[in-house]
Amino acid sequence: MNNQQVHVAIAILYQQDKFLMQLRDNIPNIAAAGCWGLFGGHIEPGETPEVAVKREVLEEIGYELPPFDEFGCYPDEKVIRHVFHAPLLVELNQLVLTEGWDMGLLTAADIRQGNCYSHKAGEVRPLGGMHQRIMLDFIEKNPHNI
């Protein structure tokens, strides 16, 4: 394994036929800056991906993950993404966004076209490339959720 690779745990959260995504901050030095992505983050030393995804989702939106399942692992040259999925059992207004620019429930059509309007940004913003790929895989493999 390449020691430069970072391990992250991210969550696909779905409600009816929509998916909760985070509009990442528009900061040049972060990955997929200003793009829609999945909630989650770095796995701390000694943490399992399962523990990390629960911690990150709680930190970023104040949501206690219900029982969840692993979806897959998406490595590239810099990051190994451990992807999980769970239902979103609360309304959007019950979540508290503590990281990121905006959040929204995106449709499968939004994900397929690769962008979505953000009320906070006041404009259409793109999906991060890898996050779009993960979501398209999930939609294809779980048509009953869409």
Side-chain angles (χ1 to χ4, degrees), residues 75-145:
D76 65 23
E77 61 282 348
K78 292 183 180 166
V79 182
I80 298 172
R81 295 168 183 85
H82 301 267
V83 185
F84 300 90
H85 65 96
L88 180 64
L89 303 173
V90 299
E91 296 302 315
L92 208 53
N93 64 10
Q94 293 176 264
L95 301 174
V96 178
L97 183 68
T98 59
E99 189 173 305
W101 193 3
D102 197 0
M103 65 179 162
L105 288 167
L106 279 64
T107 64
D110 294 330
I111 290 161
R112 285 189 188 100
Q113 73 186 14
N115 58 52
C116 185
Y117 182 78
S118 161
H119 290 284
K120 286 197 180 147
E123 61 187 13
V124 172
R125 303 297 306 198
L127 268 73
M130 182 62 84
H131 291 253
Q132 182 186 23
R133 190 180 125 203
I134 291 166
M135 290 304 304
L136 289 171
D137 286 353
F138 185 79
I139 290 166
E140 187 181 308
K141 290 181 177 138
N142 296 276
H144 59 280
N145 286 341

Side-chain angles (χ1 to χ4, degrees), residues 47-78:
E47 259 185 341
T48 64
E50 292 79 7
V51 168
V53 76
K54 286 181 78 160
R55 176 184 53 76
E56 285 286 345
V57 169
L58 191 60
E59 284 175 6
E60 292 182 356
I61 53 173
Y63 183 56
E64 187 79 49
L65 275 183
F68 59 92
D69 293 302
E70 188 168 356
F71 176 62
C73 189
Y74 286 77
D76 65 23
E77 61 282 348
K78 292 183 180 166

Side-chain angles (χ1 to χ4, degrees), residues 12-76:
I12 296 170
L13 299 172
Y14 47 85
Q15 187 172 84
Q16 284 132 10
D17 57 353
K18 295 184 177 170
F19 303 92
L20 183 68
M21 296 192 81
Q22 171 198 50
L23 183 59
R24 295 178 58 80
D25 287 312
N26 217 5
I27 301 169
N29 63 341
I30 65 169
C35 295
W36 291 100
L38 296 165
F39 285 97
H42 290 88
I43 299 171
E44 302 293 339
E47 259 185 341
T48 64
E50 292 79 7
V51 168
V53 76
K54 286 181 78 160
R55 176 184 53 76
E56 285 286 345
V57 169
L58 191 60
E59 284 175 6
E60 292 182 356
I61 53 173
Y63 183 56
E64 187 79 49
L65 275 183
F68 59 92
D69 293 302
E70 188 168 356
F71 176 62
C73 189
Y74 286 77
D76 65 23

